[in-house]
Amino acid sequence: QVQLVQSGAEVKKPGASVKVSCKASGYTFTSYYMHWVRQAPGQGLEWMGIINPSGGSTSYAQKFQGRVTMTRDTSTSTVYMELSSLRSEDTAVYYCARGIRFSHYMDVWGKGTTVTVSS
Amino acid sequence: EIVLTQSPATLSLSPGERATLSCRASQSVSSYLAWYQQKPGQAPRLLIYDASNRATGIPARFSGSGSGTDFTLTISSLEPEDFAVYYCQQRSNFLFTFGPGTKVDIK
């Protein structure tokens, strides 16, 4: 079955970077785009960006431009999201979510990775 | 950036009642709008895409309508498992945004 398995929880200090992974299985990895969405405690969903696993092209939300990098490794069917210059406001659950072919709505989600930024 | 607003923020209803949730876009998104359901501690679930198409496995009591800037999610008769937060989301030129959500809770 289609599955997205994310890496474990992280605790980081302000100013550091974090890299979260999302390993896909059960489908052709390069045929579906992948989103990253985050959710701060008690808050709503915030779209961060999208990557095309086939060619590696990306599109980022303006808010994260310059601070986020999304990459992929086709040999392991894994996408990565790296966020730099962390601040306390980046404390959130980070989700990867597969985009439906062509429309890119998010049909399969990972369970989320909790990132805590604290001194 | 296209901004989505949702109303009401909270909807208090009883099981069996009809729920009507609204989503408004700051500019036209054509029919490129989806609805997601999220329960506490869980990832969101896709309910409706392209404004009115139910995703795989979604019960018929969920329906979506609208186009342009005004959209509606209707739950015809609330089941106990439907009490959750609902988000709308638009896609435009490979930029996506979510609305702030509507919480449907038990009256």
Side-chain angles (χ1 to χ4, degrees), chain B residues 2-5 23-29 33 68-71 88 90:
Chain B
I2 296 176
V3 177
L4 299 177
T5 55
C23 177
R24 176 164 289 178
S26 59
Q27 62 190 83
S28 177
V29 298
L33 189 107
T69 60
D70 290 298
F71 300 86
C88 57
Q90 65 83 30

Side-chain angles (χ1 to χ4, degrees), chain A residues 2 59 91 102:
Chain A
V2 177
S59 175
T91 293
F102 308 119

Side-chain angles (χ1 to χ4, degrees), chain B residues 5-89:
Chain B
T5 55
Q6 292 186 242
S7 61
T10 303
L11 194 54
S12 296
L13 295 168
S14 300
E17 289 194 294
R18 182 183 188 90
T20 303
L21 288 66
S22 175
C23 177
R24 176 164 289 178
S26 59
Q27 62 190 83
S28 177
V29 298
S30 186
S31 295
Y32 300 136
L33 189 107
W35 291 92
Y36 298 82
Q37 176 195 66
Q38 188 180 33
K39 298 178 182 178
Q42 296 184 16
R45 178 174 70 145
L46 178 65
L47 298 176
I48 301 287
Y49 65 94
D50 284 343
S52 61
N53 297 298
R54 273 190 302 276
T56 303
I58 301 304
R61 63 181 181 273
F62 291 93
S63 64
S65 64
S67 65
T69 60
D70 290 298
F71 300 86
T72 301
L73 173 70
T74 301
I75 311 171
S76 59
S77 178
L78 282 163
E79 296 288 339
E81 62 267 28
D82 298 337
F83 292 93
V85 180
Y86 293 83
Y87 296 94
C88 57
Q89 174 244 314

